[in-house]
Amino acid sequence: MLHLLGHIVCRVMTETIVCPGDRLAATSEFAGGDGTYTKDRFIFASLTGVRTSAFSKTQGSESKPVISVLKRGAVPLVPKKQDIVTAKVTKITPRLVATDILCVGNRPLPDERFQGVIRLEDVRAAEVDKVQIASCFRPGDIVKAEVVSLGTSRDYYLSTAQNHLGVVYAKSLAGVPMVPVSWQEMQCPQTKAIEKRKVAKA
């Protein structure tokens, strides 16, 4: 049985019910997902449920399929268009921001399985031609963003263009959590230094 979830196809393996400790697959063929643990190059069930595998519909993906154990009737949590997600910035370039998606709505993902990309044109709605990525985001920032569309493989295109989207948590160069002082600035309470960000309006 197949469930289409965004760009992920989840295949329920003939309703196979597994119990904690059951060996599911080798790590050379699968990656462990929800409801599993890895030991001695094998993946085992950590709960009682239905064994599933998930893989990208995109051809040519080098990612291993993910094997998981779901409680009966459960559906894997997968970001979809227009979802509001919380993500951590992992890298910035002059053209885009790379992130790991941590939560979908208020529901945390069990692991950092999905990546998000904020393109230059999706940072804000006004004066797009003046946007400078380094003045809006820094690696380590936590941002709130909207899923705009599916990107490539396991990436999602995200947008922070709306006023309530953007950086919600950031540390200063001194390593201290900063506080927003405007929609484009945050301040270190220790050093009083101002750093530029695309701040989410509370």
Side-chain angles (χ1 to χ4, degrees):
M1 176 168 42
L2 295 179
H3 300 286
L4 299 185
L5 300 163
H7 70 301
I8 301 296
V9 179
C10 178
R11 182 187 300 277
V12 177
M13 298 176 171
T14 62
E15 289 291 332
T16 302
I17 305 299
V18 296
C19 297
D22 285 354
R23 193 168 78 179
L24 306 177
T27 55
S28 59
E29 299 177 356
F30 289 86
D34 302 345
T36 71
Y37 65 92
T38 302
K39 181 180 179 182
D40 297 332
R41 300 193 303 277
F42 288 98
I43 300 168
F44 297 85
S46 62
L47 54 82
T48 300
V50 180
R51 183 176 62 175
T52 71
S53 66
F55 52 92
S56 172
K57 291 197 298 183
T58 306
Q59 298 297 319
S61 174
E62 297 180 358
S63 301
K64 292 180 184 177
V66 178
I67 194 165
S68 305
V69 178
L70 306 176
K71 294 181 180 179
R72 292 182 69 89
V75 176
L77 182 59
V78 176
K80 61 183 183 297
K81 188 175 180 180
Q82 296 185 328
D83 276 348
I84 301 300
V85 301
T86 303
K88 181 177 182 178
V89 176
T90 57
K91 182 176 71 172
I92 64 172
T93 74
R95 299 290 306 173
L96 58 84
V97 181
T99 72
D100 285 332
I101 297 175
L102 306 177
C103 300
V104 179
N106 294 322
R107 298 175 63 190
L109 290 167
D111 52 47
E112 297 174 1
R113 183 182 306 167
F114 303 106
Q115 284 73 52
V117 174
I118 305 170
R119 297 170 295 186
L120 188 67
E121 61 267 29
D122 293 323
V123 170
R124 66 187 188 202
E127 299 182 318
V128 176
D129 58 322
K130 297 181 180 179
V131 171
Q132 293 184 342
I133 293 291
S135 296
C136 299
F137 306 97
R138 295 286 177 87
D141 289 356
I142 303 298
V143 303
K144 186 171 288 187
E146 180 182 3
V147 177
V148 176
S149 65
L150 173 63
T152 59
S153 186
R154 300 176 69 81
D155 290 345
Y156 289 83
Y157 286 137
L158 308 179
S159 169
T160 56
Q162 297 184 54
N163 289 340
H164 67 285
L165 303 176
V167 177
V168 295
Y169 176 85
K171 287 186 176 182
S172 67
L173 294 176
V176 178
M178 296 191 293
V179 294
V181 293
S182 73
W183 65 273
Q184 58 183 350
E185 292 179 330
M186 301 183 84
Q187 184 177 39
C188 174
Q190 180 174 301
T191 66
K192 307 304 180 184
I194 298 289
E195 295 185 25
K196 289 188 176 296
R197 292 294 196 281
K198 198 289 183 184
V199 180
K201 184 177 180 180

